[in-house]
Amino acid sequence: MKLRLLLLGLVVLASYSCKKEQTSSLANHQGDETYTVIVGENKVGYLKTNISGDTINIDYDYKNNGRGPTMKETIVLNADGFPTSWEVTGNTTFGNAVDEHFSLEGNNASWTDATGSGSATLGEPQLYVNQFGSPYSTVLAARLLLKAPENTLPVLPAGNLTLTKMEDLTVPMPAGDGELSLTSYALSGADLDPSYFIVDDAQKFFAFISPRYIVIREGFEAVEKDMRQLSENYSAERYENLQKEFAHNYEGKVRIRNVRVFDPNTLSLTDPVSVVVEGEKITAIEAADASSEGEVQIEGNGGTLVPGLFEMHAHTGDDDALLNVLAGVTSFRDMGNDTEVLTSLIEKIESGVLAGPRVTRLGFIEGKSPYNSNNGILVETKEEALAAVDTYDSLGFYGVKLYNSMNGEWAPDIVKKAHGQGLFVTGHVPAFSNANAMLNAGFDEMTHVNQTMLGWVLEPDEDTRTLLRLTAMKRFPELDLNSPKVQETMDLFVSNNTAIDPTLAIHEMLMLSRNGEVTPGAVDYIDHMPPNEQRSLKVALAQIADEEEDKAYREAYAKIVETLKMMKDKGIFIVAGTDLGGAFNFHRELELYNQQLGYTPAELLKLASYDMAEYLGQEDLGSIEPGKLADFFLVPGNPVEDIKAIKTIALVSRGGTFYYPTEVYPAFGITPFTEKPEVTE
């Protein structure tokens, strides 16, 4: 009996000891932490954490350009560091309400996000990749991945995450007493590009970094620019390596055989020919079966060569530069950027270190306010705005773009000075002004069609520096486009020969995307995207509160289309750009012009290539002719009959450097759309 009691006591003691060993994965991370959110060197918000026991509470909020996310998270981890409960509530950048939940009970995982609900029965716990949470989740993933084979784990709802160490570094302590040891990492697998973040030697979160945006531990703001530069370096290195691996620079002649060429002058395709490239230029167009000794031959298989496209509303970054080239977009008009970053990027593109479109630069001028965008040059007086024009002129910029928080009363003087120096002027309608004032000031082009239309529905004291410039579009359905106020604006466009850059695809995404449904512009390519990218393409941007609001947004989009059709009918020149990063979204922009504005596919190919080259004064681009730069792409189908044909690209030449999308897309987790052409060297 005594022996049985002794054994029972040992079992109980052993059981108690095992339980004691199951300490919280957060045991060394208890308490509060505060982080600063910085955009373009300006403090715009915060991230705060409270860790108590196994629970993490997060408060995340920032505002840039009058908008930004507001999120609260509650995460519960098990002893191994896997989440068993995760709740995210708040609002996205454009106001969509967030109510995201994840739970793990035993082997049963379930979740609900903006795309709907899902569940899985697991053999062992898996990390959940949240849809709307803060960047703090990167450190939770890192702690798990550091213990995983090859630093890779399957994750929910789908896919795998991989952690890659970038480098060890140190930063000075704020009080000057020594240095803090840090390690930077890349987290990849969920999206098209890796995320970069930094932890300290205790595996505590230090910073989430990107070239313009950073979340950094409070007290270390003095080093934020250096930390953002790390992200720029890592991204550049990734894309430099992709360029080395996938850019084909052939020696001597390159012949693309048996292709038909789109001719913008006739809006038709030529008979089958072969196109010869030497160096960066097209040197000849010859018979379809012609050949010469020593040349590289690429088989076109009767497909179509189209001149390179111009994305006219871009904000260039190395992360989207290559994807645009692969989509046949070989020229960008950059509508506002960090001048130093953009200059460096252009140098790398032009030297062949990075793949990317040719870039035409517009200088961003914004007024300082509680709602300003932290981009370009921020000004507080008209004199500073005029000086900004001089700055951009001295740097060789093509023109300037005025923005929301700038005083609209300064516009006439800014435009006069810019025009006097040969600079182009475009932009938003500054707050408390209207499109008529900007047209009368002499804008060469108006940006975003809603910026023009808001002047027809807003009261003079309503502030468009906030999300009102988006939510007020719900008033568009009541507009009478034949009313005097609308026609006055239309007449000013016509009499001033002012163009419109409508960015229709972003309005479609904003007003017609719904939670749980594939956004209309992504229907043709979503199945080719990596898991988290597919998830993001099933989310509304705006908050759609009820059926009445749903109806208002749908009818407002229809009114935008009606407005653009009227503009087109009046001869107002429409410029094709997206403000959505281009690439697949640029294909959608053109598709919308075909489906909804009445352009033929051939007119669109000309508009997006030849017409834009003329518009920007670039005579060596826009068509496939001997002597012109070799910017073009090959599609198997006939885009003159169906504009969708430009979505399946087999080859792109950017100045005689050749890319085969089928080779490159897997590096982004994208399933290719077509076969690689046969190449004989």
Side-chain angles (χ1 to χ4, degrees):
M1 183 70 177
K2 288 183 179 180
L3 179 61
R4 287 177 59 195
L5 288 174
L6 177 61
L7 289 172
L8 180 62
L10 289 173
V11 169
V12 171
L13 181 61
S15 175
Y16 178 75
S17 299
C18 289
K19 288 181 180 178
K20 289 287 284 183
E21 289 173 5
Q22 292 294 309
T23 58
S24 169
S25 66
L26 296 170
N28 297 324
H29 307 290
Q30 301 289 299
D32 298 328
E33 290 278 2
T34 299
Y35 304 86
T36 303
V37 180
I38 298 172
V39 174
E41 302 184 39
N42 296 282
K43 295 180 182 180
V44 297
Y46 59 83
L47 188 155
K48 298 179 180 179
T49 66
N50 170 265
I51 300 176
S52 178
D54 294 315
T55 301
I56 308 169
N57 289 294
I58 299 172
D59 184 3
Y60 176 53
D61 191 304
Y62 77 87
K63 298 292 177 285
N64 177 49
N65 194 12
R67 60 195 185 215
T70 298
M71 299 290 174
K72 291 188 183 297
E73 295 177 76
T74 301
I75 310 167
V76 180
L77 304 183
N78 66 16
D80 294 320
F82 287 92
T84 59
S85 175
W86 200 325
E87 297 185 3
V88 187
T89 59
N91 294 283
T92 65
T93 293
F94 290 97
N96 189 12
V98 174
D99 189 12
E100 182 178 3
H101 305 274
F102 168 82
S103 67
L104 177 65
E105 297 181 2
N107 294 329
N108 299 314
S110 61
W111 58 89
T112 299
D113 59 24
T115 67
S117 298
S119 62
T121 301
L122 307 176
E124 54 187 12
Q126 286 187 19
L127 176 65
Y128 173 71
V129 176
N130 69 74
Q131 187 175 46
F132 292 117
S134 71
Y136 189 83
S137 62
T138 53
V139 74
L140 305 182
R143 292 171 190 159
L144 293 169
L145 290 164
L146 283 168
K147 297 180 288 186
E150 298 182 353
N151 302 127
T152 299
L153 285 172
V155 294
L156 297 170
N160 296 278
L161 279 184
T162 298
L163 186 73
T164 303
K165 179 180 176 180
M166 302 307 293
E167 64 178 308
D168 293 319
L169 59 146
T170 60
V171 294
M173 297 294 287
D177 50 346
E179 294 181 324
L180 180 65
S181 297
L182 302 169
T183 304
S184 57
Y185 292 98
L187 193 63
S188 58
D191 298 293
L192 295 172
D193 291 294
S195 299
Y196 300 104
F197 64 99
I198 303 172
V199 301
D200 65 19
D201 54 5
Q203 290 190 7
K204 290 186 175 182
F205 185 64
F206 179 77
F208 181 92
I209 56 176
S210 74
R212 292 200 69 248
Y213 160 92
I214 185 171
V215 180
I216 189 167
R217 187 179 296 176
E218 187 176 53
F220 289 87
E221 291 86 353
V223 299
E224 65 88 15
K225 189 172 183 180
D226 293 335
M227 300 298 99
R228 287 191 290 114
Q229 184 61 48
L230 290 177
S231 168
E232 179 69 26
N233 295 345
Y234 301 152
S235 181
E237 181 181 6
R238 164 175 159 78
Y239 282 94
E240 287 171 18
N241 289 336
L242 290 174
Q243 177 77 340
K244 290 175 184 176
E245 184 174 0
F246 296 116
H248 297 268
N249 290 290
Y250 301 112
E251 293 185 9
K253 289 183 181 180
V254 179
R255 183 184 302 273
I256 303 93
R257 291 166 45 89
N258 188 23
V259 291
R260 294 180 296 171
V261 172
F262 174 72
D263 183 348
N265 296 305
T266 64
L267 297 180
S268 63
L269 302 184
T270 65
D271 291 332
V273 297
S274 62
V275 175
V276 180
V277 173
E278 291 186 69
E280 65 176 2
K281 291 191 175 184
I282 301 162
T283 57
I285 296 180
E286 300 176 348
D289 58 355
S291 65
S292 62
E293 189 175 348
E295 67 186 9
V296 174
Q297 295 188 358
I298 301 172
E299 181 55 54
N301 291 314
T304 305
L305 278 192
V306 180
L309 306 175
F310 285 70
E311 157 64 290
M312 296 292 281
H313 198 122
H315 296 278
T316 317
D318 50 20
D319 55 340
D320 60 17
L322 176 55
L323 285 173
N324 271 278
V325 169
L326 299 178
V329 178
T330 55
S331 293
F332 266 5
R333 184 177 63 169
D334 190 285
M335 300 293 284
N337 219 312
D338 180 293
T339 300
E340 184 178 340
V341 170
L342 183 59
T343 299
S344 173
L345 182 56
I346 291 172
E347 289 174 353
K348 289 181 178 180
I349 291 172
E350 293 307 318
S351 67
V353 173
L354 292 177
R358 305 177 193 276
V359 180
T360 298
R361 299 177 296 172
L362 284 170
F364 195 94
I365 303 177
E366 168 71 311
K368 288 187 179 179
S369 81
Y371 307 101
N372 64 254
S373 172
N374 291 287
N375 197 3
I377 298 177
L378 299 180
V379 300
E380 292 183 284
T381 66
K382 183 171 69 175
E383 289 68 32
E384 290 181 354
L386 295 173
V389 173
D390 284 331
T391 297
Y392 287 125
D393 185 32
S394 70
L395 293 171
F397 277 58
Y398 162 77
V400 295
K401 175 186 176 184
L402 311 188
Y403 210 62
N404 294 325
S405 288
M406 201 204 68
N407 188 330
E409 294 180 359
W410 305 340
D413 288 334
I414 296 172
V415 173
K416 182 178 179 181
K417 182 176 182 60
H419 283 172
Q421 296 174 201
L423 298 179
F424 184 91
V425 182
T426 185
H428 286 207
V429 174
F432 312 112
S433 187
N434 57 51
N436 289 11
M438 298 305 104
L439 290 164
N440 283 320
F443 270 34
D444 298 293
E445 177 184 296
M446 299 297 297
T447 297
H448 302 301
V449 66
N450 70 309
Q451 291 282 315
T452 291
M453 296 176 70
L454 287 170
W456 304 332
V457 300
L458 292 177
E459 298 300 323
D461 61 345
E462 290 189 290
D463 192 346
T464 55
R465 297 175 299 179
T466 67
L467 280 177
L468 180 69
R469 66 180 180 271
L470 306 178
T471 59
M473 290 192 285
K474 288 182 291 185
R475 305 177 195 177
F476 288 175
E478 306 305 318
L479 272 171
D480 175 5
L481 296 186
N482 292 311
S483 64
K485 62 183 177 184
V486 172
Q487 290 304 308
E488 180 185 1
T489 304
M490 294 286 184
D491 290 344
L492 284 170
F493 268 100
V494 174
S495 62
N496 293 351
N497 196 28
T498 304
I500 180 76
D501 164 26
T503 61
L504 185 56
I506 199 172
H507 289 88
E508 179 193 49
M509 186 176 287
L510 176 72
M511 306 179 85
L512 299 188
S513 296
R514 298 294 182 267
N515 289 338
E517 301 176 13
V518 178
T519 189
V523 170
D524 289 341
Y525 68 84
I526 186 170
D527 291 341
H528 292 257
M529 295 295 108
N532 224 38
E533 187 71 13
Q534 291 192 28
R535 201 174 171 201
S536 70
L537 294 169
K538 299 177 183 178
V539 179
L541 289 186
Q543 169 66 10
I544 313 295
D546 50 36
E547 290 185 8
E548 182 179 352
E549 198 158 59
D550 177 87
K551 180 174 181 287
Y553 273 119
R554 292 185 188 279
E555 291 181 353
Y557 179 75
K559 188 66 69 171
I560 286 173
V561 171
E562 187 181 351
T563 300
L564 287 171
K565 288 173 72 175
M566 179 179 285
M567 288 180 160
K568 177 176 177 286
D569 291 343
K570 287 179 176 291
I572 297 168
F573 191 58
I574 296 177
V575 173
T578 69
D579 201 19
L580 285 170
F584 303 126
N585 291 314
F586 188 74
H587 296 163
R588 180 59 175 175
E589 185 83 11
L590 298 184
E591 186 177 26
L592 289 174
Y593 290 9
N594 172 231
Q595 294 175 352
Q596 299 176 0
L597 303 187
Y599 288 91
T600 68
E603 288 172 337
L604 287 174
L605 297 179
K606 178 176 181 286
L607 175 70
S609 58
Y610 185 83
D611 290 348
M612 293 304 99
E614 281 204 329
Y615 190 63
L616 295 176
Q618 298 180 2
E619 297 179 354
D620 52 357
L621 294 170
S623 60
I624 300 172
E625 302 176 59
K628 290 204 170 185
L629 291 168
D631 284 16
F632 54 74
F633 60 98
L634 171 68
V635 297
N638 183 349
V640 169
E641 293 179 352
D642 183 1
I643 196 66
K644 284 178 179 285
I646 65 172
K647 298 184 178 186
T648 53
I649 295 177
L651 169 154
V652 181
S653 169
R654 197 287 202 184
T657 298
F658 289 84
Y659 301 88
Y660 305 104
T662 298
E663 289 185 338
V664 191
Y665 278 142
F668 294 89
I670 298 173
T671 303
F673 297 86
T674 189
E675 297 295 322
K676 177 184 173 181
E678 180 183 347
V679 181
T680 303
E681 296 187 51

